Amino acid sequence: MGPALLGLAAGIVIIGLGTYPGLWFPARWTFSFPVLGSPGLPHWAAFWAYYGSLVVLGLAWVWLLRVINVDPRFPVALVLAVFTVWSIPFVVGPSVSSEDVYAYVALGRLVERGLDPYQVGVNALGNDPVVGVTPPFWRNNPTPYGPIAVRVAWLAAVTGGDSVPATVVILRLFGLLCLLLLAVPVTALARRAGTRPALALTAVLCSPLVLVDLVGAAHNESLMVLLVACGVALGMAGLAEEQRRRRLALLCAGVGLCGAAAGVKLPGLLGAALLGWLWAGPGSPALRRLPAVVTSVLLAAAVVVVVSLASGLGMGWVGALDVPQRAYTLLAPFTALAVLVKELLVRLGWPSGWVLPVLRPVGSILGIATAALLITRAERLGATLALGLALLAVAATAPAVWPWYMVWGLVFVGTVTMPTGLQAAVIALTLSLTPLGPGSLDVTQRPNASALFMMLVVAGGALALWRSYRPDGRRVAAVQMTER
């Protein structure tokens, strides 16, 4: 009861400060919170109360993990109840880490009016009030989100009518439903990996990163990870089947769900690649596995094409996939490195225009190569952990990185483990965005101390995982035995 009440209180303070008038981005909500939303509250008090409440929310999560870790009979239903209670403030309050949810509302309205969101930005809505609350980045840029995500936004816009807050709440409720449904595949994957379901669900669902960025900010990662987790759980259940026809049917269904996930965001294809690698069975040589991997990815890609055409939106989103790269976030290690190198070259008087265009793609290539290598180690690491690490590698090396990208992999890593170092990294990532100022994600392409701090956070989280799951570690062997 203690951590549940502490987390709820922290959430209420966080969303209350979301109505504070001195925000970096203005409050776009229907109510102002007493005291916390008062213009008389000093900025320094709001700043420390906001950060302090995020830390308290993180500590409540850590406390809950400790309670469940020592109580093997802790019920899954109670974990889901705590998650639901903690979500309530973030469902009804303003968004405190990102304004992208307003861009989703605008995206739905574009489709509702018959406009192509893959060709035009939000400004095409003209004088619609939602344009004024949409982040400037999305006003002139087309959306890179897949057709499933766009259709969800359209349904929310149709249901919410002319009310922006109502549409936002609908999107949040949809995301909350996806996260509650995520409990089903996470439970299945946790049991297969030898992890207690209650512990895995607490690590995955109750983390401050999920509450703030997936529930409150309604990012469509919730739908993507649900589809990938369902696909991988279904495919791995098929691997355990002895009847060939049933085994093939379950594997194909799992790959299809991963393809549907790619219809939200493209990294969902990694789930299909993993199932293709496992298709041939343990001990199979790499050359024998490659045709299955290619077939699996092609099948998932075919699902993406079919879904895109069936949605009526077409394949235009593929041409907009480079749009997120137009943002410069120093949480992206290779972007931060490129900015530092560029600054050094400028000070030395040497040519520097080549640095960002070269180092950012290099990071993406290395991330994809690392993900592929991790998938080939699926039997040694455990399939669930390998997929989580692969998704983290792709997310962390992207040209532009936002905290919610890390949820792609943390869902699967957290299903298996959540070491202390990684808990600290998750809390730090939650602190990296604040409505009270630029925070750690400076997008001005200038080096700063907070950007370097966030690079250390990412490196620390990676080190914590490596120390817990070295290739020769006992835990890896245990996971390997349970997943075969």
Side-chain angles (χ1 to χ4, degrees):
M1 184 62 69
L5 292 177
L6 186 64
L8 177 61
I12 291 172
V13 174
I14 291 166
I15 66 100
L17 287 166
T19 66
Y20 178 66
L23 299 180
W24 181 33
F25 49 81
R28 316 288 192 184
W29 210 236
T30 57
F31 65 84
S32 179
F33 219 84
V35 182
L36 296 173
S38 169
L41 183 69
H43 190 275
W44 66 265
F47 183 88
W48 287 109
Y50 175 82
Y51 270 110
S53 297
L54 280 177
V55 171
V56 168
L57 180 62
L59 292 177
W61 171 56
V62 172
W63 184 6
L64 186 61
L65 282 170
R66 300 295 186 272
V67 169
I68 296 175
N69 190 45
V70 299
D71 184 0
R73 295 178 296 178
F74 200 95
V76 166
L78 190 53
V79 174
L80 296 178
V82 171
F83 166 66
T84 303
V85 169
W86 284 4
S87 297
I88 291 172
F90 298 100
V91 169
V92 302
S95 181
V96 293
S97 69
S98 166
E99 291 184 298
D100 282 357
V101 65
Y102 303 111
Y104 295 170
V105 176
L107 180 61
R109 292 191 179 182
L110 283 172
V111 178
E112 185 183 10
R113 296 186 186 181
L115 299 170
D116 187 350
Y118 300 133
Q119 297 296 325
V120 298
V122 173
N123 279 336
L125 291 173
N127 295 324
D128 193 302
V130 76
V131 176
V133 298
T134 299
F137 181 83
W138 294 114
R139 293 180 188 175
N140 292 311
N141 286 319
T143 183
Y145 303 129
I148 295 179
V150 173
R151 279 300 175 189
V152 168
W154 167 73
L155 284 172
V158 170
T159 308
D162 294 332
S163 173
V164 173
T167 308
V168 168
V169 170
I170 290 168
L171 286 167
R172 287 172 173 166
L173 289 173
F174 176 79
L176 181 61
L177 176 62
C178 288
L179 291 168
L180 288 170
L181 291 174
L182 182 63
V184 177
V186 164
T187 297
L189 291 172
R191 286 175 176 158
R192 187 173 296 276
T195 307
R196 286 172 42 217
L199 199 56
L201 289 172
T202 303
V204 170
L205 295 181
C206 297
S207 79
L209 198 60
V210 167
L211 292 165
V212 174
D213 290 321
L214 266 60
V215 179
H219 286 287
N220 47 34
E221 268 73 10
S222 56
L223 177 57
M224 172 196 162
V225 295
L226 171 63
L227 292 170
V228 174
C230 286
V232 172
L234 197 61
M236 291 179 65
L239 291 171
E241 287 287 334
E242 295 183 359
Q243 185 181 359
R244 181 177 177 81
R245 181 174 297 179
R246 182 172 174 80
R247 172 187 174 95
L248 185 61
L250 288 173
L251 279 169
C252 288
V255 169
L257 284 171
C258 292
V264 180
K265 286 191 172 180
L266 207 56
L269 288 176
L270 283 177
L274 173 72
L275 292 177
W277 181 263
L278 298 174
W279 199 316
S284 301
L287 289 178
R288 183 180 172 186
R289 293 174 185 262
L290 286 179
V293 172
V294 173
T295 301
S296 181
V297 172
L298 288 178
L299 176 59
V303 171
V304 173
V305 173
V306 170
V307 167
S308 298
L309 297 178
S311 69
L313 297 169
M315 295 294 296
W317 65 285
V318 176
L321 287 176
D322 67 326
V323 169
Q325 301 178 22
R326 300 174 191 175
Y328 290 82
T329 63
L330 298 187
L331 182 56
F334 281 88
T335 296
L337 176 62
V339 169
L340 291 172
V341 172
K342 180 180 178 181
E343 183 75 9
L344 177 62
L345 293 178
V346 167
R347 290 174 181 267
L348 294 174
W350 296 349
S352 61
W354 60 271
V355 178
L356 282 163
V358 170
L359 286 185
R360 296 179 94 202
V362 166
S364 296
I365 294 170
L366 288 176
I368 293 171
T370 301
L373 180 62
L374 287 164
I375 286 176
T376 64
R377 300 293 187 269
E379 271 90 13
R380 295 178 62 188
L381 293 171
T384 305
L385 181 62
L387 177 60
L389 294 175
L391 286 165
L392 282 176
V394 170
T397 56
V401 177
W402 299 99
W404 48 89
Y405 287 9
M406 298 303 153
V407 177
W408 303 349
L410 287 172
V411 164
F412 298 96
V413 172
T415 298
V416 180
T417 183
M418 186 57 68
T420 303
L422 192 56
Q423 294 170 28
V426 167
I427 296 172
L429 281 170
T430 311
L431 299 175
S432 65
L433 274 179
T434 167
L436 296 165
S440 300
L441 299 185
D442 184 0
V443 294
T444 61
Q445 301 187 45
R446 301 288 295 181
N448 58 23
S450 56
L452 295 175
F453 168 72
M454 291 312 301
M455 290 180 65
L456 292 175
V457 166
V458 173
L463 179 62
L465 281 173
W466 181 82
R467 291 185 63 184
S468 297
Y469 287 89
R470 293 188 298 271
D472 58 345
R474 293 182 181 179
R475 174 63 174 168
V476 175
V479 172
Q480 179 181 350
M481 289 174 61
T482 56
E483 290 198 341
R484 278 187 177 176

